[in-house]
Amino acid sequence: MAAGTLPAAAQTISEWDCQRLERHVPAPDVVYRPGVDVRGRSVAPADLNPAVPIVPERFAIYLGVDLRERLGLPPDLIADLPLGVIEIDNGTVLFNGRPIAPDAAAGLAAACAAARRR
């Protein structure tokens, strides 16, 4: 598989994974400014300890197909077909450990946006 391409089965992605893939860019009027309230007045900082990031800087999304479910195989049969791993590392998108092309990353974001419209 060429770098920057994903198998056809990987084009279905969950809402949760989309939220983790897409980079949030807040509107300029909602950007947090420490020591300033919503009206621009000085205030004491709310937290005394550094915050733990909500989304880790590195995480993985494992892609696979449950053949048992898709093909109606017996429930006691384990038939997972691994397709690969998408990793996000400090904003860089990797597929099976290799950086994917920017247009492929944009394609993932577009697939997420299309899934939300459905």
Side-chain angles (χ1 to χ4, degrees):
M1 181 177 307
T5 61
L6 293 174
Q11 293 176 9
T12 302
I13 189 164
S14 74
E15 175 72 19
W16 171 248
D17 291 336
C18 282
Q19 290 173 356
R20 296 172 68 185
L21 276 170
E22 292 177 337
R23 184 170 295 225
H24 173 70
V25 180
D29 63 335
V30 297
V31 174
Y32 171 72
R33 293 183 307 249
V36 179
D37 71 7
V38 295
R39 294 179 185 84
R41 296 181 296 207
S42 294
V43 295
D47 56 329
L48 302 176
N49 298 319
V52 176
I54 294 173
V55 177
E57 292 188 15
R58 183 178 179 101
F59 59 89
I61 301 167
Y62 297 92
L63 303 175
V65 176
D66 183 354
L67 294 176
R68 181 182 44 109
E69 181 180 314
R70 286 196 178 240
L71 301 176
L73 300 173
D76 58 334
L77 180 67
I78 298 174
D80 290 328
L81 175 64
L83 299 174
V85 179
I86 294 177
E87 294 176 89
I88 312 300
D89 188 6
N90 283 323
T92 301
V93 181
L94 308 168
F95 181 68
N96 290 337
R98 298 171 129 164
I100 66 172
D103 59 331
L108 283 171
C112 288
R116 283 196 179 97
R117 287 191 295 269
R118 287 186 215 133

